[in-house]
Amino acid sequence: MLGTLGDRPLGAKDAEAVARALDLDPVASCMVSARVEAYGLSPRFLGGELWTAGEPVTSLAFSGANLMPLIGGAGDLELFADRALSTPRICSSIVGPADLALPLWERLATVWGPPREIRDDQPLLALHGYPVIAPDPNVRLVTMADLDRYFPAAVEMFIGEVGIDPCAGDEGRSYRRRLAALISARRVFARFDGDRVTFKAEIGSMSRKVGQIQGVWVDPESRGRGLGAVGTAAVAAAIARQGRISSLYVNSFNAAARRSYSQVGFAQVGTFATVLVD
């Protein structure tokens, strides 16, 4: 048995088995794969623990700032729930394939609930290769010199998407550091019209195979001009140039965004769900 639940989190000796498990669905596992590839399996560096209820190729979950079930059946989810409830909660959300995330939440809700919000239908999209429309030539990498101009747009996007002000508590210092790290990694893109950001997006996670786009936002005064589609195409083209698959997930009710992503060439490959926990 590898990394038996209740014994220990998965560690370095389980690396090959974990890699095989994550490769079963590289798009759905991108967020976890990116961390494992960058930091290994040590919880100290990974920013969380990888759990299995038996062997990683048949059950796997990540527990950190998010609780992410990746593989498993009903019995595995019971064990993951027991493990999550055995210590104080550290995650702010449960996110992952809907057929795993929602049943896991049902097992946790009586203790962790009520949730702040449940987004139970988030199409997981992927684009293999280049976009089918021309990218916006005015979308470019954001530099550190742009951070002061970029930051307000990122905050507005975050509040609209997550419903929380990222500046609360520390006046935005931690969120600003997160953005600065992404900028340094050349994973932040924007269109600037003068000093105003009219489109923005980030590659939030980057594994060897997949780049997951997040934080897509168009300035309200600039909406209706198609900037979301051609801007996202610019980010997807940058990912394709690196030989990676572009991916993102979107709320099913966001019809405008779904139309934009379809225009770019994205197709649905799965369904995610997110439970935001207070």
Side-chain angles (χ1 to χ4, degrees), residues 89 91-93 105 112-117 162-164 275-278:
R89 177 172 63 84
C91 68
S92 60
S93 68
W105 169 246
W112 285 3
R116 181 160 52 84
E117 185 178 356
V162 182
I164 296 174
V275 180
L276 300 174
V277 187
D278 279 325

Side-chain angles (χ1 to χ4, degrees), residues 96-110:
D99 60 348
L100 297 176
L102 295 174
L104 179 58
W105 169 246
E106 290 176 2
R107 292 162 168 79
L108 298 169
T110 55

